[in-house]
Amino acid sequence: MSGTLLLFLGTALFMGWSLGANDAANVFGTAVGTRMVSFRKAAFISSVCVLLGALTAGEGASEGLRSLAAVHDIPSSAIVTLSAALSVLIMTRFALPVSTSQAIIGALSGYALLEAIPLDIPLLLRIAATWIYSPVLAALLSALLTLLIGSFLKKKRIHLLTIDAYTRWLLIAAGAAGSYALGANNIANVTGIFLPAFTDQKLSLLPWVRDISTQLFLIGSLAIALGIITYSKRVMMSVGSHLFQLSPVDAFTVVLSTAMVLFLFSSTSLHSLLKSGGLPAPPLIPVSQSQASVGAVLGIAVARKAWHSIRITLLIKIAVGWIVTPVVSGSVAYLLLCIF
């Protein structure tokens, strides 16, 4: 195996592991935080569904990331990916649900600045806008679901044990859907950036798979699964129980709202359908699952008029992490590219 392929493989695995440790498992964070689903079961289901999402629907967001600024050589792609992964790892060490999407965008911007490559500014602004309206959209969805579910349960007067039994299965189903959407959307952050560099080259790491993008997505999703299994529990608990105390039904609401937001930015079919109908379609770009999850938790607090129960100090730390992440990753990428 050549040195460039070893460099690619190492940074891709590192980035995938970091994403799994920080972002992917947050789909099940509220379920684990409320003790409705065990960590082992959540990690297994999330890993399998992330793999399926990446392999079957990873092209859309990857193409959107490539449109921002394409990196056409493997070493530069590896350094950009490594810079983003290092930034995520630093934030993960402090149990903060940061955004790998922000990290990769920041690192890519650092590369473009150093190489004097023009960025697609309109697309960059659209991506940056998702950092604001994706958590807002998740909050609106979770608030609406909270009110609807609360009204339904009040009218039906269902026994608490029955509610818990159904909620457990609903959490698993919603978590599986959210993990699938995450794999489809965020695989772009792991190996999508390598697609231009491998366009004119053969990749034979997995000789039984002919398509290069499929090889890249498979490698990346396996790395995400490893991150979920080995290092995601702390961030699960941070979102699942530390920011705002959630009931099992609330946990389902957060998972479902987060999955819906990720689906909006991942589905090529939905994008085409909206376009054909003359409706505005959300861009097919990698968005932050962590931001959507935190937004959904806050939406429940709003619906329940329980702002006083939100841990404001932790919320501020999370917000600071989101602001600092693209700056740190961009700076690290610029510095590493200057050195290497």
Side-chain angles (χ1 to χ4, degrees):
M1 186 182 295
S2 67
T4 54
L5 285 181
L6 281 173
L7 183 63
F8 147 70
L9 185 60
T11 55
L13 291 176
F14 184 27
M15 183 59 178
W17 178 85
S18 298
L19 189 147
N22 193 282
D23 273 14
N26 287 339
V27 176
F28 272 106
T30 47
V32 174
T34 54
R35 313 293 181 184
M36 290 296 289
V37 180
S38 69
F39 170 74
R40 289 185 178 182
K41 183 180 293 185
F44 174 77
I45 295 172
S46 186
S47 299
V48 172
C49 292
V50 162
L51 178 68
L52 293 174
L55 293 178
T56 60
E59 290 283 355
S62 296
E63 181 60 36
L65 188 63
R66 180 166 38 184
S67 300
L68 179 63
V71 185
H72 290 285
D73 63 279
I74 297 174
S76 294
S77 300
I79 292 175
V80 169
T81 305
L82 176 63
S83 303
L86 287 172
S87 303
V88 172
L89 181 62
I90 292 170
M91 301 299 178
T92 302
R93 183 64 185 82
F94 294 98
L96 294 177
V98 299
S99 167
T100 54
S101 299
Q102 286 183 321
I104 202 69
I105 294 300
L108 194 58
S109 300
Y111 165 79
L113 179 63
L114 179 66
E115 299 293 334
I117 296 174
L119 282 170
D120 186 337
I121 299 301
L123 178 58
L124 180 61
L125 293 176
R126 292 177 71 190
I127 292 174
T130 66
W131 301 345
I132 299 174
Y133 67 74
S134 63
V136 172
L137 179 59
L140 292 174
L141 287 171
S142 67
L144 178 61
L145 285 172
T146 297
L147 295 175
L148 291 175
I149 293 173
S151 176
F152 174 79
L153 293 177
K154 186 176 181 180
K155 289 180 180 179
K156 295 298 182 180
R157 300 175 181 270
I158 303 174
H159 193 277
L160 184 59
L161 293 178
T162 304
I163 293 174
D164 282 352
Y166 281 117
T167 301
R168 190 182 307 275
W169 288 107
L170 289 173
L171 280 170
I172 292 173
S179 298
Y180 177 89
L182 182 66
N185 186 270
N186 271 208
I187 193 63
N189 296 334
V190 180
T191 52
I193 198 169
F194 288 92
L195 285 174
F198 280 108
T199 299
D200 300 321
Q201 300 187 40
K202 292 183 179 180
L203 181 63
S204 56
L205 291 173
L206 304 172
W208 64 89
V209 181
R210 292 184 178 182
D211 184 65
I212 290 177
S213 62
T214 301
Q215 289 192 53
L216 291 173
F217 295 158
L218 179 57
I219 292 168
S221 56
L222 288 174
I224 294 172
L226 182 63
I228 295 172
I229 294 168
T230 61
Y231 206 70
S232 66
K233 193 170 186 178
R234 292 185 66 200
V235 181
M236 273 195 181
M237 298 306 296
S238 179
V239 172
S241 60
H242 295 167
L243 181 61
F244 179 78
Q245 195 63 43
L246 299 170
S247 69
V249 175
D250 292 338
F252 165 73
T253 301
V254 170
V255 174
L256 181 60
S257 301
T258 302
M260 292 169 69
V261 169
L262 264 67
F263 179 78
L264 287 174
F265 294 95
S266 306
S267 174
T268 54
S269 300
L270 178 61
H271 185 85
S272 300
L273 180 63
L274 293 174
K275 284 278 190 181
S276 63
L279 299 173
L284 295 176
I285 54 175
V287 296
S288 171
Q289 184 274 335
S290 297
Q291 290 178 334
S293 182
V294 171
V297 173
L298 295 178
I300 292 176
V302 172
R304 297 193 184 285
K305 299 180 181 180
W307 279 103
H308 61 280
S309 299
I310 296 174
R311 293 169 174 82
I312 301 298
T313 302
L314 178 58
L315 181 61
I316 292 173
K317 287 177 65 178
I318 292 172
V320 169
W322 288 346
I323 295 171
V324 170
T325 298
V327 177
V328 170
S329 63
S331 301
V332 171
Y334 190 93
L335 178 62
L336 290 180
L337 286 165
C338 284
I339 293 174
F340 294 106

